Amino acid sequence: MTFSLKRRALFILAISSISMAPLPSGAQTRQPIAVIGAGHIGGTVGALWVKAGHPVMFASRNPAELKPLVEQLGPLARAGTVAQAIRYADVIFLAVPYKALPQIGADNKADLKDKVVLDACNAVAGRDGDMAQQALATGVGVATQGYLPGTHVVRAFNTLGYHVLEAEANRPAPRLAIPLAGDDANAVRIAQDLVRDAGFDPVLVGGLDTARRFQQRGDPGYGQQATATELKRKLGLAP
């Protein structure tokens, strides 16, 4: 999913104004990341990672449309196809309509194997059809893992709108909290580090099955503009 040219220009101006400390002179770049779906969420979070020093490949069905975004973000940003991006990095950030996941998994099964996938895709019945209801009933995190066999899925960045993420990134402590859920300890650690690099505090809710606690409107962890302490309290987690 991509912006119109007008909305993309406005987005670039907004994201470039995010207040972040520059990288120290001579600092090494960080782990490469592939962002699949350079719309509002993918574009916002991906830009925050670039500004934190991560090389990021933004992917869409029409990579040429991403040229203004990657030019604005500088040499750490690049554009590519979905397949190119998945081959590019061992960490994948998914921010596409949920109904796209089965095709992405089928088309890129070999290249996705053993990769860490941060899943920000929400299942929406009006857009994604019957599979949304199935995913919500199964648990969206568990369902995503089924569509992407061989990967290590962590649910993250699915609970807040891009405008909130854009405005609240790297605010003075206490920072805004992002709930996470995943089964693989190493993947969870990577996701926690990337949440911090984007300018937020991670809150681990539990395994993938616990992602149902923040998978849709009305769930206790969904839509909460809260600090880590506040979010843990709302979810009944240990301080």
Short mmCIF file of all heavy atoms in Angstrom, two decimals, residues 138-204:
data_model
loop_
_atom_site.label_atom_id
_atom_site.label_comp_id
_atom_site.label_asym_id
_atom_site.label_seq_id
_atom_site.Cartn_x
_atom_site.Cartn_y
_atom_site.Cartn_z
N THR A 138 -8.44 -17.47 16.05
CA THR A 138 -7.25 -18.27 16.35
C THR A 138 -6.29 -17.50 17.24
O THR A 138 -5.59 -18.09 18.07
CB THR A 138 -6.52 -18.65 15.04
OG1 THR A 138 -7.42 -19.39 14.22
CG2 THR A 138 -5.28 -19.47 15.31
N GLY A 139 -6.28 -16.19 17.06
CA GLY A 139 -5.27 -15.32 17.64
C GLY A 139 -4.40 -14.84 16.50
O GLY A 139 -3.81 -15.66 15.79
N VAL A 140 -4.32 -13.52 16.28
CA VAL A 140 -3.65 -13.00 15.09
C VAL A 140 -2.18 -13.40 15.06
O VAL A 140 -1.64 -13.74 14.00
CB VAL A 140 -3.82 -11.46 15.00
CG1 VAL A 140 -2.99 -10.91 13.85
CG2 VAL A 140 -5.29 -11.10 14.81
N GLY A 141 -1.52 -13.38 16.19
CA GLY A 141 -0.11 -13.76 16.21
C GLY A 141 0.11 -15.20 15.78
O GLY A 141 0.98 -15.51 14.96
N VAL A 142 -0.71 -16.09 16.32
CA VAL A 142 -0.61 -17.51 15.97
C VAL A 142 -0.96 -17.71 14.49
O VAL A 142 -0.31 -18.50 13.79
CB VAL A 142 -1.54 -18.34 16.87
CG1 VAL A 142 -1.57 -19.80 16.42
CG2 VAL A 142 -1.08 -18.25 18.33
N ALA A 143 -1.98 -17.00 14.01
CA ALA A 143 -2.37 -17.12 12.60
C ALA A 143 -1.25 -16.64 11.68
O ALA A 143 -0.96 -17.27 10.66
CB ALA A 143 -3.65 -16.32 12.35
N THR A 144 -0.61 -15.53 12.01
CA THR A 144 0.50 -15.03 11.20
C THR A 144 1.61 -16.06 11.12
O THR A 144 2.17 -16.30 10.04
CB THR A 144 1.05 -13.72 11.78
OG1 THR A 144 0.03 -12.71 11.73
CG2 THR A 144 2.26 -13.23 10.98
N GLN A 145 1.93 -16.68 12.24
CA GLN A 145 2.98 -17.70 12.23
C GLN A 145 2.62 -18.84 11.28
O GLN A 145 3.48 -19.38 10.59
CB GLN A 145 3.18 -18.25 13.64
CG GLN A 145 4.33 -19.25 13.77
CD GLN A 145 5.69 -18.61 13.53
OE1 GLN A 145 6.23 -17.96 14.41
NE2 GLN A 145 6.25 -18.79 12.35
N GLY A 146 1.34 -19.17 11.21
CA GLY A 146 0.91 -20.21 10.29
C GLY A 146 1.08 -19.83 8.84
O GLY A 146 1.38 -20.69 8.00
N TYR A 147 0.89 -18.55 8.52
CA TYR A 147 1.05 -18.09 7.15
C TYR A 147 2.53 -17.93 6.76
O TYR A 147 2.85 -17.90 5.56
CB TYR A 147 0.35 -16.74 6.94
CG TYR A 147 -1.15 -16.83 7.00
CD1 TYR A 147 -1.89 -16.00 7.84
CD2 TYR A 147 -1.84 -17.74 6.21
CE1 TYR A 147 -3.27 -16.07 7.90
CE2 TYR A 147 -3.23 -17.82 6.27
CZ TYR A 147 -3.94 -16.99 7.11
OH TYR A 147 -5.31 -17.07 7.16
N LEU A 148 3.39 -17.83 7.75
CA LEU A 148 4.82 -17.62 7.50
C LEU A 148 5.64 -18.71 8.19
O LEU A 148 6.44 -18.43 9.10
CB LEU A 148 5.25 -16.24 8.00
CG LEU A 148 4.44 -15.04 7.49
CD1 LEU A 148 4.88 -13.76 8.19
CD2 LEU A 148 4.57 -14.90 5.98
N PRO A 149 5.46 -19.96 7.77
CA PRO A 149 6.16 -21.06 8.44
C PRO A 149 7.68 -20.92 8.31
O PRO A 149 8.19 -20.43 7.31
CB PRO A 149 5.65 -22.30 7.70
CG PRO A 149 5.21 -21.79 6.36
CD PRO A 149 4.67 -20.42 6.61
N GLY A 150 8.37 -21.32 9.37
CA GLY A 150 9.83 -21.24 9.35
C GLY A 150 10.39 -19.92 9.83
O GLY A 150 11.60 -19.78 9.97
N THR A 151 9.52 -18.93 10.07
CA THR A 151 9.97 -17.64 10.58
C THR A 151 9.79 -17.58 12.10
O THR A 151 9.20 -18.47 12.70
CB THR A 151 9.20 -16.48 9.95
OG1 THR A 151 7.82 -16.56 10.35
CG2 THR A 151 9.28 -16.53 8.42
N HIS A 152 10.28 -16.50 12.70
CA HIS A 152 10.11 -16.26 14.13
C HIS A 152 9.31 -14.97 14.27
O HIS A 152 9.86 -13.87 14.17
CB HIS A 152 11.46 -16.15 14.82
CG HIS A 152 12.36 -17.32 14.57
ND1 HIS A 152 12.08 -18.59 15.05
CD2 HIS A 152 13.51 -17.43 13.86
CE1 HIS A 152 13.03 -19.43 14.67
NE2 HIS A 152 13.91 -18.75 13.94
N VAL A 153 8.01 -15.11 14.47
CA VAL A 153 7.09 -13.97 14.46
C VAL A 153 7.00 -13.33 15.84
O VAL A 153 6.89 -14.01 16.86
CB VAL A 153 5.69 -14.41 14.00
CG1 VAL A 153 4.69 -13.26 14.14
CG2 VAL A 153 5.74 -14.88 12.55
N VAL A 154 7.04 -12.00 15.85
CA VAL A 154 6.78 -11.21 17.05
C VAL A 154 5.75 -10.15 16.67
O VAL A 154 5.93 -9.41 15.71
CB VAL A 154 8.05 -10.51 17.57
CG1 VAL A 154 7.72 -9.71 18.84
CG2 VAL A 154 9.15 -11.51 17.85
N ARG A 155 4.65 -10.11 17.41
CA ARG A 155 3.66 -9.05 17.18
C ARG A 155 4.17 -7.75 17.79
O ARG A 155 4.61 -7.71 18.94
CB ARG A 155 2.33 -9.42 17.83
CG ARG A 155 1.56 -10.50 17.09
CD ARG A 155 0.92 -9.98 15.82
NE ARG A 155 -0.28 -9.20 16.06
CZ ARG A 155 -0.91 -8.51 15.12
NH1 ARG A 155 -0.44 -8.48 13.88
NH2 ARG A 155 -2.00 -7.84 15.40
N ALA A 156 4.10 -6.67 17.02
CA ALA A 156 4.60 -5.38 17.50
C ALA A 156 4.07 -4.25 16.63
O ALA A 156 3.81 -4.44 15.44
CB ALA A 156 6.13 -5.36 17.47
N PHE A 157 3.90 -3.07 17.21
CA PHE A 157 3.53 -1.85 16.49
C PHE A 157 2.16 -1.93 15.81
O PHE A 157 1.93 -1.22 14.83
CB PHE A 157 4.60 -1.48 15.46
CG PHE A 157 5.89 -0.97 16.04
CD1 PHE A 157 7.02 -1.76 16.04
CD2 PHE A 157 5.97 0.30 16.60
CE1 PHE A 157 8.22 -1.31 16.57
CE2 PHE A 157 7.16 0.77 17.14
CZ PHE A 157 8.29 -0.03 17.12
N ASN A 158 1.26 -2.76 16.31
CA ASN A 158 -0.05 -2.88 15.68
C ASN A 158 -1.16 -2.15 16.43
O ASN A 158 -2.31 -2.15 15.98
CB ASN A 158 -0.45 -4.36 15.57
CG ASN A 158 -0.79 -4.97 16.92
OD1 ASN A 158 0.11 -5.10 17.75
ND2 ASN A 158 -2.04 -5.33 17.15
N THR A 159 -0.84 -1.53 17.57
CA THR A 159 -1.90 -1.02 18.43
C THR A 159 -2.15 0.47 18.34
O THR A 159 -3.15 0.96 18.86
CB THR A 159 -1.60 -1.36 19.91
OG1 THR A 159 -0.44 -0.63 20.33
CG2 THR A 159 -1.36 -2.85 20.09
N LEU A 160 -1.24 1.22 17.71
CA LEU A 160 -1.36 2.68 17.68
C LEU A 160 -1.27 3.19 16.25
O LEU A 160 -0.59 2.60 15.41
CB LEU A 160 -0.23 3.32 18.51
CG LEU A 160 -0.23 3.00 20.00
CD1 LEU A 160 1.04 3.52 20.66
CD2 LEU A 160 -1.46 3.59 20.70
N GLY A 161 -1.94 4.29 15.98
CA GLY A 161 -1.90 4.89 14.66
C GLY A 161 -0.56 5.54 14.36
O GLY A 161 0.20 5.88 15.28
N TYR A 162 -0.28 5.72 13.09
CA TYR A 162 1.01 6.28 12.69
C TYR A 162 1.22 7.69 13.24
O TYR A 162 2.34 8.09 13.57
CB TYR A 162 1.15 6.28 11.17
CG TYR A 162 0.41 7.39 10.47
CD1 TYR A 162 1.04 8.58 10.12
CD2 TYR A 162 -0.95 7.27 10.17
CE1 TYR A 162 0.36 9.60 9.49
CE2 TYR A 162 -1.64 8.28 9.56
CZ TYR A 162 -0.99 9.45 9.21
OH TYR A 162 -1.67 10.46 8.61
N HIS A 163 0.12 8.46 13.34
CA HIS A 163 0.25 9.83 13.82
C HIS A 163 0.71 9.86 15.28
O HIS A 163 1.46 10.75 15.69
CB HIS A 163 -1.07 10.59 13.66
CG HIS A 163 -2.25 9.88 14.26
ND1 HIS A 163 -2.81 8.76 13.72
CD2 HIS A 163 -2.95 10.14 15.41
CE1 HIS A 163 -3.82 8.36 14.47
NE2 HIS A 163 -3.91 9.16 15.50
N VAL A 164 0.28 8.87 16.07
CA VAL A 164 0.72 8.78 17.46
C VAL A 164 2.19 8.37 17.51
O VAL A 164 2.99 8.95 18.25
CB VAL A 164 -0.14 7.77 18.25
CG1 VAL A 164 0.41 7.60 19.66
CG2 VAL A 164 -1.59 8.23 18.30
N LEU A 165 2.55 7.37 16.71
CA LEU A 165 3.95 6.92 16.68
C LEU A 165 4.87 8.05 16.24
O LEU A 165 5.96 8.25 16.80
CB LEU A 165 4.09 5.73 15.74
CG LEU A 165 3.31 4.47 16.13
CD1 LEU A 165 3.42 3.42 15.03
CD2 LEU A 165 3.81 3.90 17.45
N GLU A 166 4.44 8.79 15.25
CA GLU A 166 5.23 9.90 14.73
C GLU A 166 5.43 10.99 15.77
O GLU A 166 6.54 11.51 15.95
CB GLU A 166 4.52 10.47 13.50
CG GLU A 166 5.20 11.62 12.80
CD GLU A 166 4.34 12.11 11.64
OE1 GLU A 166 4.36 11.46 10.58
OE2 GLU A 166 3.66 13.13 11.81
N ALA A 167 4.36 11.30 16.51
CA ALA A 167 4.41 12.41 17.47
C ALA A 167 5.12 12.04 18.77
O ALA A 167 5.74 12.89 19.41
CB ALA A 167 3.00 12.90 17.78
N GLU A 168 5.03 10.76 19.17
CA GLU A 168 5.50 10.37 20.50
C GLU A 168 6.87 9.70 20.49
O GLU A 168 7.42 9.42 21.56
CB GLU A 168 4.48 9.43 21.14
CG GLU A 168 3.11 10.03 21.35
CD GLU A 168 3.11 11.14 22.39
OE1 GLU A 168 4.05 11.19 23.21
OE2 GLU A 168 2.20 11.99 22.37
N ALA A 169 7.45 9.41 19.34
CA ALA A 169 8.75 8.75 19.29
C ALA A 169 9.81 9.58 19.99
O ALA A 169 9.90 10.79 19.80
CB ALA A 169 9.16 8.50 17.84
N ASN A 170 10.61 8.90 20.84
CA ASN A 170 11.74 9.55 21.51
C ASN A 170 11.34 10.73 22.38
O ASN A 170 12.13 11.66 22.56
CB ASN A 170 12.78 9.98 20.48
CG ASN A 170 13.42 8.81 19.80
OD1 ASN A 170 14.23 8.10 20.40
ND2 ASN A 170 13.05 8.57 18.54
N ARG A 171 10.15 10.67 22.93
CA ARG A 171 9.77 11.73 23.85
C ARG A 171 10.57 11.56 25.15
O ARG A 171 11.10 10.49 25.44
CB ARG A 171 8.27 11.69 24.13
CG ARG A 171 7.83 10.57 25.07
CD ARG A 171 6.32 10.55 25.24
NE ARG A 171 5.92 9.67 26.33
CZ ARG A 171 4.65 9.39 26.61
NH1 ARG A 171 3.67 9.88 25.86
NH2 ARG A 171 4.36 8.59 27.62
N PRO A 172 10.65 12.59 25.98
CA PRO A 172 11.36 12.47 27.26
C PRO A 172 10.73 11.37 28.11
O PRO A 172 9.52 11.11 28.04
CB PRO A 172 11.18 13.85 27.90
CG PRO A 172 10.94 14.77 26.75
CD PRO A 172 10.17 13.97 25.74
N ALA A 173 11.54 10.72 28.92
CA ALA A 173 11.06 9.64 29.78
C ALA A 173 9.97 10.17 30.73
O ALA A 173 10.03 11.32 31.17
CB ALA A 173 12.22 9.06 30.56
N PRO A 174 8.97 9.31 31.02
CA PRO A 174 8.79 7.94 30.54
C PRO A 174 8.23 7.91 29.12
O PRO A 174 7.31 8.65 28.79
CB PRO A 174 7.79 7.33 31.54
CG PRO A 174 6.97 8.50 31.98
CD PRO A 174 7.90 9.68 32.00
N ARG A 175 8.81 7.04 28.29
CA ARG A 175 8.41 6.96 26.89
C ARG A 175 7.13 6.14 26.73
O ARG A 175 6.71 5.41 27.63
CB ARG A 175 9.54 6.37 26.05
CG ARG A 175 10.81 7.20 26.11
CD ARG A 175 11.81 6.87 25.03
NE ARG A 175 12.30 5.51 25.07
CZ ARG A 175 13.23 5.04 24.24
NH1 ARG A 175 13.77 5.84 23.32
NH2 ARG A 175 13.63 3.80 24.31
N LEU A 176 6.53 6.26 25.56
CA LEU A 176 5.33 5.50 25.24
C LEU A 176 5.68 4.02 25.11
O LEU A 176 6.76 3.67 24.60
CB LEU A 176 4.74 6.01 23.93
CG LEU A 176 3.26 5.70 23.65
CD1 LEU A 176 2.37 6.42 24.66
CD2 LEU A 176 2.91 6.15 22.24
N ALA A 177 4.80 3.14 25.55
CA ALA A 177 5.06 1.70 25.54
C ALA A 177 4.46 1.03 24.31
O ALA A 177 3.39 1.42 23.83
CB ALA A 177 4.48 1.05 26.80
N ILE A 178 5.16 0.01 23.81
CA ILE A 178 4.69 -0.82 22.69
C ILE A 178 4.59 -2.26 23.19
O ILE A 178 5.60 -2.84 23.60
CB ILE A 178 5.67 -0.75 21.50
CG1 ILE A 178 5.81 0.69 20.99
CG2 ILE A 178 5.23 -1.70 20.39
CD1 ILE A 178 4.56 1.27 20.37
N PRO A 179 3.40 -2.88 23.16
CA PRO A 179 3.28 -4.28 23.59
C PRO A 179 3.84 -5.22 22.54
O PRO A 179 3.70 -4.99 21.33
CB PRO A 179 1.78 -4.46 23.77
CG PRO A 179 1.15 -3.47 22.84
CD PRO A 179 2.10 -2.30 22.80
N LEU A 180 4.46 -6.31 23.01
CA LEU A 180 5.05 -7.34 22.16
C LEU A 180 4.58 -8.71 22.60
O LEU A 180 4.30 -8.94 23.78
CB LEU A 180 6.59 -7.32 22.25
CG LEU A 180 7.36 -6.05 21.98
CD1 LEU A 180 8.83 -6.28 22.27
CD2 LEU A 180 7.17 -5.61 20.55
N ALA A 181 4.57 -9.65 21.64
CA ALA A 181 4.31 -11.05 21.97
C ALA A 181 5.05 -11.91 20.97
O ALA A 181 5.00 -11.67 19.76
CB ALA A 181 2.82 -11.37 21.92
N GLY A 182 5.76 -12.92 21.47
CA GLY A 182 6.50 -13.82 20.58
C GLY A 182 6.94 -15.07 21.32
O GLY A 182 7.08 -15.06 22.54
N ASP A 183 7.17 -16.14 20.56
CA ASP A 183 7.56 -17.42 21.15
C ASP A 183 9.06 -17.65 21.20
O ASP A 183 9.54 -18.44 22.02
CB ASP A 183 6.91 -18.58 20.36
CG ASP A 183 5.40 -18.65 20.55
OD1 ASP A 183 4.91 -18.11 21.55
OD2 ASP A 183 4.73 -19.25 19.69
N ASP A 184 9.81 -17.01 20.30
CA ASP A 184 11.24 -17.24 20.21
C ASP A 184 11.99 -16.18 21.01
O ASP A 184 11.84 -14.98 20.74
CB ASP A 184 11.69 -17.22 18.75
CG ASP A 184 13.17 -17.51 18.59
OD1 ASP A 184 13.54 -18.69 18.54
OD2 ASP A 184 13.95 -16.54 18.53
N ALA A 185 12.80 -16.61 21.98
CA ALA A 185 13.45 -15.66 22.89
C ALA A 185 14.38 -14.71 22.15
O ALA A 185 14.42 -13.50 22.46
CB ALA A 185 14.22 -16.42 23.97
N ASN A 186 15.13 -15.21 21.17
CA ASN A 186 16.05 -14.34 20.45
C ASN A 186 15.28 -13.33 19.60
O ASN A 186 15.67 -12.15 19.52
CB ASN A 186 16.98 -15.16 19.56
CG ASN A 186 18.00 -14.31 18.85
OD1 ASN A 186 18.80 -13.61 19.47
ND2 ASN A 186 17.98 -14.34 17.52
N ALA A 187 14.21 -13.77 18.96
CA ALA A 187 13.40 -12.85 18.15
C ALA A 187 12.78 -11.77 19.02
O ALA A 187 12.71 -10.60 18.64
CB ALA A 187 12.32 -13.63 17.41
N VAL A 188 12.32 -12.16 20.20
CA VAL A 188 11.75 -11.18 21.12
C VAL A 188 12.80 -10.18 21.55
O VAL A 188 12.53 -8.96 21.61
CB VAL A 188 11.15 -11.89 22.35
CG1 VAL A 188 10.85 -10.89 23.47
CG2 VAL A 188 9.88 -12.65 21.97
N ARG A 189 14.02 -10.63 21.83
CA ARG A 189 15.09 -9.72 22.21
C ARG A 189 15.37 -8.71 21.09
O ARG A 189 15.54 -7.51 21.35
CB ARG A 189 16.36 -10.50 22.54
CG ARG A 189 17.55 -9.61 22.93
CD ARG A 189 18.82 -10.41 23.03
NE ARG A 189 19.17 -11.06 21.77
CZ ARG A 189 19.70 -10.44 20.72
NH1 ARG A 189 19.93 -9.13 20.76
NH2 ARG A 189 19.99 -11.11 19.62
N ILE A 190 15.43 -9.20 19.86
CA ILE A 190 15.66 -8.31 18.71
C ILE A 190 14.53 -7.30 18.60
O ILE A 190 14.76 -6.09 18.39
CB ILE A 190 15.80 -9.13 17.42
CG1 ILE A 190 17.13 -9.91 17.44
CG2 ILE A 190 15.72 -8.23 16.19
CD1 ILE A 190 17.26 -10.92 16.33
N ALA A 191 13.29 -7.76 18.75
CA ALA A 191 12.14 -6.87 18.66
C ALA A 191 12.18 -5.81 19.77
O ALA A 191 11.89 -4.63 19.53
CB ALA A 191 10.85 -7.67 18.74
N GLN A 192 12.54 -6.22 20.97
CA GLN A 192 12.64 -5.25 22.06
C GLN A 192 13.68 -4.17 21.75
O GLN A 192 13.44 -2.98 21.98
CB GLN A 192 13.01 -5.98 23.36
CG GLN A 192 11.88 -6.84 23.92
CD GLN A 192 12.35 -7.70 25.09
OE1 GLN A 192 13.45 -8.26 25.08
NE2 GLN A 192 11.51 -7.82 26.10
N ASP A 193 14.82 -4.59 21.22
CA ASP A 193 15.87 -3.63 20.87
C ASP A 193 15.38 -2.66 19.79
O ASP A 193 15.66 -1.45 19.84
CB ASP A 193 17.12 -4.35 20.38
CG ASP A 193 17.89 -5.05 21.50
OD1 ASP A 193 17.64 -4.74 22.69
OD2 ASP A 193 18.72 -5.92 21.19
N LEU A 194 14.63 -3.18 18.82
CA LEU A 194 14.16 -2.32 17.74
C LEU A 194 13.06 -1.37 18.20
O LEU A 194 12.95 -0.25 17.69
CB LEU A 194 13.67 -3.18 16.57
CG LEU A 194 14.78 -3.91 15.81
CD1 LEU A 194 14.20 -4.79 14.71
CD2 LEU A 194 15.78 -2.92 15.22
N VAL A 195 12.25 -1.80 19.14
CA VAL A 195 11.27 -0.88 19.73
C VAL A 195 11.99 0.28 20.41
O VAL A 195 11.62 1.44 20.25
CB VAL A 195 10.36 -1.63 20.72
CG1 VAL A 195 9.55 -0.64 21.56
CG2 VAL A 195 9.41 -2.57 19.97
N ARG A 196 13.04 -0.04 21.15
CA ARG A 196 13.82 1.02 21.81
C ARG A 196 14.47 1.94 20.78
O ARG A 196 14.49 3.17 20.95
CB ARG A 196 14.88 0.40 22.72
CG ARG A 196 14.31 -0.39 23.90
CD ARG A 196 15.42 -0.87 24.82
NE ARG A 196 14.89 -1.75 25.86
CZ ARG A 196 14.95 -3.08 25.83
NH1 ARG A 196 15.57 -3.69 24.81
NH2 ARG A 196 14.44 -3.79 26.80
N ASP A 197 15.02 1.34 19.70
CA ASP A 197 15.68 2.16 18.69
C ASP A 197 14.70 3.10 18.00
O ASP A 197 15.08 4.18 17.54
CB ASP A 197 16.34 1.26 17.64
CG ASP A 197 17.59 0.57 18.16
OD1 ASP A 197 18.07 0.94 19.25
OD2 ASP A 197 18.08 -0.35 17.48
N ALA A 198 13.43 2.69 17.90
CA ALA A 198 12.42 3.54 17.29
C ALA A 198 11.95 4.65 18.23
O ALA A 198 11.24 5.57 17.81
CB ALA A 198 11.22 2.71 16.84
N GLY A 199 12.34 4.55 19.51
CA GLY A 199 12.00 5.61 20.45
C GLY A 199 10.88 5.31 21.41
O GLY A 199 10.23 6.24 21.93
N PHE A 200 10.66 4.01 21.71
CA PHE A 200 9.59 3.58 22.60
C PHE A 200 10.13 2.56 23.60
O PHE A 200 11.24 2.07 23.47
CB PHE A 200 8.44 2.98 21.79
CG PHE A 200 7.90 3.90 20.73
CD1 PHE A 200 8.39 3.83 19.43
CD2 PHE A 200 6.94 4.84 21.03
CE1 PHE A 200 7.93 4.69 18.44
CE2 PHE A 200 6.47 5.72 20.04
CZ PHE A 200 6.97 5.63 18.74
N ASP A 201 9.30 2.22 24.59
CA ASP A 201 9.65 1.19 25.57
C ASP A 201 8.87 -0.08 25.28
O ASP A 201 7.63 -0.04 25.18
CB ASP A 201 9.34 1.66 26.99
CG ASP A 201 10.36 2.66 27.51
OD1 ASP A 201 11.49 2.68 27.00
OD2 ASP A 201 10.02 3.41 28.46
N PRO A 202 9.55 -1.23 25.13
CA PRO A 202 8.84 -2.48 24.88
C PRO A 202 8.23 -3.05 26.15
O PRO A 202 8.81 -2.96 27.23
CB PRO A 202 9.96 -3.40 24.36
CG PRO A 202 11.19 -2.89 25.04
CD PRO A 202 11.02 -1.40 25.16
N VAL A 203 7.06 -3.64 25.99
CA VAL A 203 6.43 -4.38 27.08
C VAL A 203 6.10 -5.78 26.56
O VAL A 203 5.24 -5.94 25.68
CB VAL A 203 5.15 -3.69 27.58
CG1 VAL A 203 4.38 -4.60 28.56
CG2 VAL A 203 5.49 -2.38 28.27
N LEU A 204 6.81 -6.78 27.06
CA LEU A 204 6.57 -8.16 26.64
C LEU A 204 5.35 -8.71 27.36
O LEU A 204 5.35 -8.83 28.59
CB LEU A 204 7.80 -9.02 26.92
CG LEU A 204 7.67 -10.50 26.54
CD1 LEU A 204 7.37 -10.67 25.05
CD2 LEU A 204 8.92 -11.27 26.94
#
